[in-house]
Amino acid sequence: MQMKNESAAESSDMELMKERFSKLLLGEDMSGGGKGVSSALALSNAITNLAASVFGEQTKLEPMSATTKERWTKEIECLVSITDYIVEFVTTQQKSKDGSIIEVMVTQPRRDLLLSMPALRKLDVMLLDILDKFEGEQEFKYVSKDANESQRGVQRSDKWWLPTVKVPPGGLSEGSRKFLQKQKNAVDQVLKASRAINAQALTDMHIPDSYIESLPKNGKECIGESLYRIITDEHFDDPLQFISNLGLQSEHEILDFKDKIEACVVIWRRKMNYKDAKSSSWGGPSVSLEKREIFEERAHTVLLIIKQKFPSIPQSSLEISKIQCNKDVGLSVLESYSRVLESLANTVMSRIKDVLYANYLIEKTKSRPWDDYASSPGLSTGPAERATLSDFINWDSDPSEKETGADTEAYCGKAEEMKIIRQLANIKKFSYTDTIEMAGLRSPARG
């Protein structure tokens, strides 16, 4: 009987995988007429949809069910396994039979995939392990939001659809608070690493011609005359104050400004790298190269601050356009895999903050200072500078973060567990697409 059940399960899994790979090969065009999307986009959509179906109901701090966890690990490994076969040619020296040294071409795993894929797999395992840590009885519990007033817990006002969190009348014990802080630190490291890999993958993607054609011909038209005058002013020296003065409130306003300033950066970079003699409007000499380089630097700094200050903001028009038009399968896997891990890490971080917030309301009556929630990632801004991969994953960038790195290693059990991820902090930023001339669970498209 058991053998029959196992055989039926294997048959079901095989049929499911056949269906998945058929969709990938057909580019999601089930008619077979060749009108489907590219392999890169089909694979990106498959990873996004898989993560949405698996992690979409993660409303509590609890382990994933064994069935769901097995499905995720099996299917995601199948989808990303294609990166094991993506290689690049490099020259190496070999000694011939007559003793002479000759150069030959050999294949090796592509550099970006060789660095980032092991790290992403490790981040995946870390996130699932963090959720497993919440197995068994906890000091806090979840109560339905529809329960009566006496039984209901608390929940932040912007999370009305989630179950409420209830902590003991005296608040969480010190051991429980330390445990939550430890998991919060570990999730923060996963969040930083996945966000950095995602940013690098998007940077390496080619800017589509369709996006270039949609841009205005100069930066002033893009951001408006008033903002253009401020950025190009001789005394512009405080991008943080500039952003603060904008008074951005809603997500729509932030995203709209992000779209405009990112387009402005692209325009000025294209003018600095202008080579196409056919489009004279792109290479106008009205602004000197030196000044344009300064303007581009300022705009890029503002863009980085926006991304750091509002990390959970939806993807910009440029990022969506890159994902939809990208043909590089390796970059597609890196972008989508890191994006769904970043989204899960954000979800777990939010669930931890929900518990800390409920505990804060209890302990507030004791006049005890509470730093966990106020100092959580995303509420403070980092330095306005050009960020590289190591900037995002520099565990020991300041003394206050050294304890975080130590906690994460203690959580992993062995220092070797962090070896792959720590390599990210020691490698300079590189781009696989150096020859390109112009070079959340967030969906690649906005509704």
Side-chain angles (χ1 to χ4, degrees), residues 174-191:
E174 183 177 355
S176 184
R177 290 198 307 273
K178 285 184 176 180
F179 168 77
L180 283 169
Q181 184 62 39
K182 186 176 181 180
Q183 306 315 312
K184 179 170 170 285
N185 291 340
V187 175
D188 188 31
Q189 300 302 330
V190 175
L191 196 56

Side-chain angles (χ1 to χ4, degrees), residues 218-363:
N218 57 63
K220 184 184 293 186
E221 289 183 35
C222 191
I223 59 176
E225 186 170 352
S226 59
L227 294 181
Y228 177 82
R229 285 181 177 178
I230 296 174
I231 290 181
T232 58
D233 187 86
E234 182 180 353
H235 303 291
F236 180 89
D237 59 357
D238 193 345
L240 283 172
Q241 185 61 42
F242 168 71
I243 294 174
S244 178
N245 292 339
L246 292 175
L248 302 175
Q249 298 293 332
S250 67
E251 182 180 276
H252 174 75
E253 291 177 344
I254 298 169
L255 184 58
D256 182 62
F257 177 72
K258 180 183 175 183
D259 278 340
K260 290 179 179 179
I261 199 71
E262 197 166 43
C264 195
V265 170
V266 173
I267 291 172
W268 282 334
R269 281 184 179 175
R270 280 185 62 83
K271 289 192 174 185
M272 288 190 296
N273 293 277
Y274 172 75
K275 293 180 180 180
D276 187 2
K278 296 180 181 179
S279 302
S280 58
S281 57
W282 278 107
S286 56
V287 179
S288 67
L289 181 63
E290 293 77 12
K291 285 187 176 181
R292 185 165 284 134
E293 185 173 359
I294 294 174
F295 300 161
E296 185 276 333
E297 186 78 26
R298 291 173 178 176
H300 190 267
T301 299
V302 170
L303 178 62
L304 283 179
I305 295 174
I306 288 291
K307 289 182 177 181
Q308 291 175 13
K309 191 173 183 179
F310 308 103
S312 299
I313 206 72
Q315 289 171 320
S316 66
S317 299
L318 174 58
E319 292 166 342
I320 294 173
S321 182
K322 281 184 172 184
I323 293 171
Q324 291 178 339
C325 299
N326 170 56
K327 304 296 183 183
D328 189 311
V329 174
L331 289 177
S332 179
V333 172
L334 289 180
E335 191 283 324
S336 55
Y337 195 14
S338 61
R339 170 162 43 84
V340 298
L341 290 180
E342 179 188 345
S343 178
L344 177 59
N346 264 319
T347 299
V348 176
M349 178 70 78
S350 182
R351 299 295 88 83
I352 293 175
K353 288 180 179 179
D354 290 342
V355 178
L356 292 174
Y357 177 70
N359 186 61
Y360 160 68
L361 294 181
I362 296 294
E363 295 194 345

